[in-house]
Amino acid sequence: MSPIDRLNALFEGWINPFRTPENPQPPADALKFFWHFLRQAKLPFFVMLLLGGAVALVEAALFYFVGRLVDLLDASNQADGWDGLIAAHGPELAFMLVVVLGIRLVVTWASALIEEQTVNVGFYNMVRWQSYVHVSRQSLSFFQNDFAGSVATKVSQSGGAVGDFLVSLIQVVWFIAIYTLTTIVLVAQLDWRLGLVVAVWIVIFAVLARYFVPRMRKFSAATAEAGSALAGRIVDSYSNIQTLKLFGTADEDNRYVKNGFERFLAAVSRMTAMVTAVRVAMALLSGVMITTIAVLAIHLWTEALITVGGVAFTLGLVLRLYTLLGRMMTQLNGLMRNFGTAQNSADLVGQPLKLVDASDAKALAVSEGGIAFEGVSFHYGKGSGVIEDLNLTIRPGERVGLVGRSGAGKSTIVSLLLRFYDVERGRITIDGQDIAGVTQESLRAAIGVVTQDTSLLHRSVRANIAYGRPDATDEEVAAAAEMAEADEFIARLSDFKGRTGYEAHVGERGVKLSGGQRQRVAIARVLLKNAPILVLDEATSALDSEVEAAIQGQLDQLMQGKTVIAIAHRLSTIAAMDRLIVLDKGRVVEEGTHAQLLERNGTYASLWARQSGGFLAGGSGDGQQED
């Protein structure tokens, strides 16, 4: 590794992009949001602040040098040439050379290393990583209430918005502030009236900024929110492209997305109108002030109060100041856009976790697998409905089937067991341990789940099967796939990058696989995980009868020694369970074996008779979730 590469690596390693504090939740307030991340990288930003001030001083010094050179040349005899110039002013010329070729290079290089190698590489990604980590710990309901694309956009843009804001604040605003102060001091040394005019210019600029900046901040936040919402609509359309094509509703969806574009454009138009006003106001102010300073400088020269070099120096500094103030107003526009974007991200990323582990939570220890619902009520935040005073005990190793019409509460019971939601009353225990008092990670690690709506990760087949057991060997993954009757179709898989078999990627949500294939991969995943508690929610609903029959034997083997909760609308698939629990409006209305329930001739017998007659009974649910 070359010295330059080692130096770059040293600066790149200054901020760990994957640093994760014990509590990664940032505040929702924008300023506190910035400070939350800035305090984790105080030293690099402090060094950047010092270097930014040094660069500004060097920049102002260049114009001072121009003025001095004019005066030196004016006072020197042209016939003496370089020898006479060096003899008379050698040390001063040498100092200028050192500053321009040496100090300026070192300061600029160091500033670039900090900004590009340290902040852009480490800090930006640290913000994104911590935002991702916190949002990924949110409850299921958090993600159900927003577009996935909108959430992803806000998390992704958080690093850029926070980093760009802080870098611009130091590299531009701080630089210009130092340069402006230096300009006032230097021209005031020539004549106090020049310094006064420059100071008046800065005061008027500050007044304009005070008027425009809050308005740009408001419009920037609205633009960022509209942009996130638009991204959410686009992602929603693309992720459901099959539905769009099946129903031939492309025009209707276009209108829906176009409405998002129109809202975004309306927000952008308000923002750009404000930017136009800023540019016009700045052009008017700078024109008046440059003319005033130029006329005053020439007048002072005519009065022999300043030299020609002083005029050149003053006009050079002022013209550069004009450029920098214009840049600052532009940067203030960018700053406010980044501030608005960061606020938009903070509003989402800064939300506290709705489901958290108890402060003294311990890992769940499953010795037998007994489950108990004790007086459990849950209404999805409503006053009533869904689950009411549920008392249900499932013995260790017992296989239980949950039966009921749609909306009876079957899948809600499973969601509560997995603690996707907290119960509103009562408690749920596993082997006597209240699941509210154990860590969520250990709880879900102890439960294997196969659902009817199987979604896979856009990763390899192997990664999807081994998701519950990342340390599984290739042989164990292949064995699980074979047990799930998935090995044959996996062997034939290939993706557009030429990856085949277990290395082939399955597409977003597993879209490249059929419903039955996705379900078999999900079953293989649960077979490999081999958790002590098994939940099968319409686990074979997407399989044809032949494959279902082949897999059923493997599932029966998997169920041995495990506590099982199975949900199925096809009652024949769960009729052999040890006990069937019939639910209606969140309450247990019947329970017993298949034979016992048929003999009672109640709700279960009615459902069985209708299915045996060739059709399924309809039912309207009164819960938030469909079961």
PDB file of all heavy atoms in Angstrom, residues 19 95 112 153 182 187 200 270 272 438 451 461 528 556 583 592:
ATOM      1  N   ARG A  19     -20.873   2.224  13.600  1.00  0.00           N
ATOM      2  CA  ARG A  19     -20.965   2.460  15.041  1.00  0.00           C
ATOM      3  C   ARG A  19     -22.435   2.466  15.437  1.00  0.00           C
ATOM      4  O   ARG A  19     -23.256   3.169  14.855  1.00  0.00           O
ATOM      5  CB  ARG A  19     -20.328   3.802  15.393  1.00  0.00           C
ATOM      6  CG  ARG A  19     -20.340   4.115  16.873  1.00  0.00           C
ATOM      7  CD  ARG A  19     -19.708   5.494  17.132  1.00  0.00           C
ATOM      8  NE  ARG A  19     -19.541   5.753  18.542  1.00  0.00           N
ATOM      9  CZ  ARG A  19     -20.515   6.221  19.335  1.00  0.00           C
ATOM     10  NH1 ARG A  19     -21.693   6.487  18.824  1.00  0.00           N
ATOM     11  NH2 ARG A  19     -20.289   6.427  20.614  1.00  0.00           N
ATOM     12  N   PHE A  95       7.771  35.150   1.664  1.00  0.00           N
ATOM     13  CA  PHE A  95       6.639  34.794   2.525  1.00  0.00           C
ATOM     14  C   PHE A  95       5.377  34.554   1.684  1.00  0.00           C
ATOM     15  O   PHE A  95       4.631  33.600   1.917  1.00  0.00           O
ATOM     16  CB  PHE A  95       6.403  35.910   3.541  1.00  0.00           C
ATOM     17  CG  PHE A  95       5.171  35.705   4.386  1.00  0.00           C
ATOM     18  CD1 PHE A  95       5.139  34.727   5.361  1.00  0.00           C
ATOM     19  CD2 PHE A  95       4.042  36.481   4.167  1.00  0.00           C
ATOM     20  CE1 PHE A  95       3.999  34.529   6.130  1.00  0.00           C
ATOM     21  CE2 PHE A  95       2.892  36.296   4.930  1.00  0.00           C
ATOM     22  CZ  PHE A  95       2.868  35.308   5.922  1.00  0.00           C
ATOM     23  N   ALA A 112      -9.556  18.691   2.504  1.00  0.00           N
ATOM     24  CA  ALA A 112     -10.161  17.717   1.582  1.00  0.00           C
ATOM     25  C   ALA A 112     -10.147  16.314   2.182  1.00  0.00           C
ATOM     26  O   ALA A 112     -11.112  15.549   2.031  1.00  0.00           O
ATOM     27  CB  ALA A 112      -9.426  17.730   0.249  1.00  0.00           C
ATOM     28  N   THR A 153     -36.840   5.764   1.582  1.00  0.00           N
ATOM     29  CA  THR A 153     -36.306   7.042   1.106  1.00  0.00           C
ATOM     30  C   THR A 153     -35.877   7.918   2.274  1.00  0.00           C
ATOM     31  O   THR A 153     -34.791   8.519   2.269  1.00  0.00           O
ATOM     32  CB  THR A 153     -37.354   7.786   0.261  1.00  0.00           C
ATOM     33  OG1 THR A 153     -37.659   7.008  -0.901  1.00  0.00           O
ATOM     34  CG2 THR A 153     -36.845   9.150  -0.177  1.00  0.00           C
ATOM     35  N   THR A 182     -12.587  39.070   7.932  1.00  0.00           N
ATOM     36  CA  THR A 182     -11.233  39.461   7.523  1.00  0.00           C
ATOM     37  C   THR A 182     -11.284  40.621   6.535  1.00  0.00           C
ATOM     38  O   THR A 182     -10.465  41.549   6.601  1.00  0.00           O
ATOM     39  CB  THR A 182     -10.515  38.254   6.884  1.00  0.00           C
ATOM     40  OG1 THR A 182     -10.534  37.160   7.793  1.00  0.00           O
ATOM     41  CG2 THR A 182      -9.061  38.612   6.558  1.00  0.00           C
ATOM     42  N   VAL A 187      -9.987  46.089   4.932  1.00  0.00           N
ATOM     43  CA  VAL A 187     -10.325  47.341   4.231  1.00  0.00           C
ATOM     44  C   VAL A 187     -10.471  48.490   5.219  1.00  0.00           C
ATOM     45  O   VAL A 187     -10.202  49.654   4.878  1.00  0.00           O
ATOM     46  CB  VAL A 187     -11.613  47.186   3.375  1.00  0.00           C
ATOM     47  CG1 VAL A 187     -11.416  46.153   2.290  1.00  0.00           C
ATOM     48  CG2 VAL A 187     -12.816  46.868   4.230  1.00  0.00           C
ATOM     49  N   VAL A 200     -22.169  47.548   6.440  1.00  0.00           N
ATOM     50  CA  VAL A 200     -23.582  47.815   6.103  1.00  0.00           C
ATOM     51  C   VAL A 200     -24.094  46.761   5.122  1.00  0.00           C
ATOM     52  O   VAL A 200     -25.221  46.272   5.230  1.00  0.00           O
ATOM     53  CB  VAL A 200     -23.733  49.238   5.528  1.00  0.00           C
ATOM     54  CG1 VAL A 200     -25.123  49.437   4.936  1.00  0.00           C
ATOM     55  CG2 VAL A 200     -23.460  50.274   6.607  1.00  0.00           C
ATOM     56  N   ARG A 270     -43.383  26.329  -5.235  1.00  0.00           N
ATOM     57  CA  ARG A 270     -43.321  27.322  -4.153  1.00  0.00           C
ATOM     58  C   ARG A 270     -41.875  27.558  -3.726  1.00  0.00           C
ATOM     59  O   ARG A 270     -41.477  28.695  -3.441  1.00  0.00           O
ATOM     60  CB  ARG A 270     -44.171  26.850  -2.969  1.00  0.00           C
ATOM     61  CG  ARG A 270     -45.673  26.903  -3.233  1.00  0.00           C
ATOM     62  CD  ARG A 270     -46.470  26.662  -1.966  1.00  0.00           C
ATOM     63  NE  ARG A 270     -46.354  25.285  -1.522  1.00  0.00           N
ATOM     64  CZ  ARG A 270     -47.192  24.305  -1.892  1.00  0.00           C
ATOM     65  NH1 ARG A 270     -48.184  24.567  -2.729  1.00  0.00           N
ATOM     66  NH2 ARG A 270     -47.034  23.076  -1.439  1.00  0.00           N
ATOM     67  N   THR A 272     -39.075  27.056  -5.636  1.00  0.00           N
ATOM     68  CA  THR A 272     -38.298  27.722  -6.677  1.00  0.00           C
ATOM     69  C   THR A 272     -38.685  29.200  -6.817  1.00  0.00           C
ATOM     70  O   THR A 272     -37.845  30.034  -7.156  1.00  0.00           O
ATOM     71  CB  THR A 272     -38.472  27.000  -8.023  1.00  0.00           C
ATOM     72  OG1 THR A 272     -39.874  26.862  -8.314  1.00  0.00           O
ATOM     73  CG2 THR A 272     -37.836  25.630  -7.987  1.00  0.00           C
ATOM     74  N   VAL A 438     -39.767 -11.072  28.185  1.00  0.00           N
ATOM     75  CA  VAL A 438     -38.605 -11.689  27.548  1.00  0.00           C
ATOM     76  C   VAL A 438     -38.237 -10.859  26.309  1.00  0.00           C
ATOM     77  O   VAL A 438     -39.037 -10.062  25.826  1.00  0.00           O
ATOM     78  CB  VAL A 438     -38.875 -13.156  27.150  1.00  0.00           C
ATOM     79  CG1 VAL A 438     -39.274 -13.970  28.375  1.00  0.00           C
ATOM     80  CG2 VAL A 438     -39.957 -13.241  26.075  1.00  0.00           C
ATOM     81  N   THR A 451     -46.535 -18.857   6.880  1.00  0.00           N
ATOM     82  CA  THR A 451     -47.797 -18.145   6.660  1.00  0.00           C
ATOM     83  C   THR A 451     -48.311 -18.391   5.246  1.00  0.00           C
ATOM     84  O   THR A 451     -47.583 -18.862   4.367  1.00  0.00           O
ATOM     85  CB  THR A 451     -47.615 -16.632   6.863  1.00  0.00           C
ATOM     86  OG1 THR A 451     -46.734 -16.132   5.861  1.00  0.00           O
ATOM     87  CG2 THR A 451     -47.041 -16.334   8.233  1.00  0.00           C
ATOM     88  N   VAL A 461     -31.562 -18.321  -2.941  1.00  0.00           N
ATOM     89  CA  VAL A 461     -32.430 -19.334  -2.342  1.00  0.00           C
ATOM     90  C   VAL A 461     -31.792 -19.846  -1.050  1.00  0.00           C
ATOM     91  O   VAL A 461     -32.475 -20.030  -0.031  1.00  0.00           O
ATOM     92  CB  VAL A 461     -32.659 -20.504  -3.327  1.00  0.00           C
ATOM     93  CG1 VAL A 461     -33.460 -21.619  -2.660  1.00  0.00           C
ATOM     94  CG2 VAL A 461     -33.366 -20.018  -4.579  1.00  0.00           C
ATOM     95  N   LEU A 528     -35.566 -26.177   8.677  1.00  0.00           N
ATOM     96  CA  LEU A 528     -34.169 -25.990   9.062  1.00  0.00           C
ATOM     97  C   LEU A 528     -34.053 -25.292  10.411  1.00  0.00           C
ATOM     98  O   LEU A 528     -33.194 -25.635  11.227  1.00  0.00           O
ATOM     99  CB  LEU A 528     -33.454 -25.169   7.983  1.00  0.00           C
ATOM    100  CG  LEU A 528     -31.969 -24.894   8.207  1.00  0.00           C
ATOM    101  CD1 LEU A 528     -31.175 -26.206   8.210  1.00  0.00           C
ATOM    102  CD2 LEU A 528     -31.429 -23.967   7.118  1.00  0.00           C
ATOM    103  N   ASP A 556     -45.605 -33.666   9.522  1.00  0.00           N
ATOM    104  CA  ASP A 556     -45.990 -34.521  10.644  1.00  0.00           C
ATOM    105  C   ASP A 556     -44.761 -34.936  11.445  1.00  0.00           C
ATOM    106  O   ASP A 556     -44.790 -34.985  12.679  1.00  0.00           O
ATOM    107  CB  ASP A 556     -46.733 -35.758  10.125  1.00  0.00           C
ATOM    108  CG  ASP A 556     -48.121 -35.425   9.593  1.00  0.00           C
ATOM    109  OD1 ASP A 556     -48.637 -34.339   9.933  1.00  0.00           O
ATOM    110  OD2 ASP A 556     -48.678 -36.230   8.829  1.00  0.00           O
ATOM    111  N   LEU A 583     -63.200 -20.564  17.103  1.00  0.00           N
ATOM    112  CA  LEU A 583     -63.291 -19.181  17.541  1.00  0.00           C
ATOM    113  C   LEU A 583     -64.414 -18.448  16.827  1.00  0.00           C
ATOM    114  O   LEU A 583     -64.724 -18.731  15.667  1.00  0.00           O
ATOM    115  CB  LEU A 583     -61.969 -18.447  17.250  1.00  0.00           C
ATOM    116  CG  LEU A 583     -60.712 -18.982  17.940  1.00  0.00           C
ATOM    117  CD1 LEU A 583     -59.475 -18.365  17.319  1.00  0.00           C
ATOM    118  CD2 LEU A 583     -60.762 -18.685  19.439  1.00  0.00           C
ATOM    119  N   GLY A 592     -62.354 -29.393  21.065  1.00  0.00           N
ATOM    120  CA  GLY A 592     -62.403 -30.837  21.138  1.00  0.00           C
ATOM    121  C   GLY A 592     -61.726 -31.438  19.922  1.00  0.00           C
ATOM    122  O   GLY A 592     -61.150 -30.729  19.086  1.00  0.00           O
TER     123      GLY A 592
END
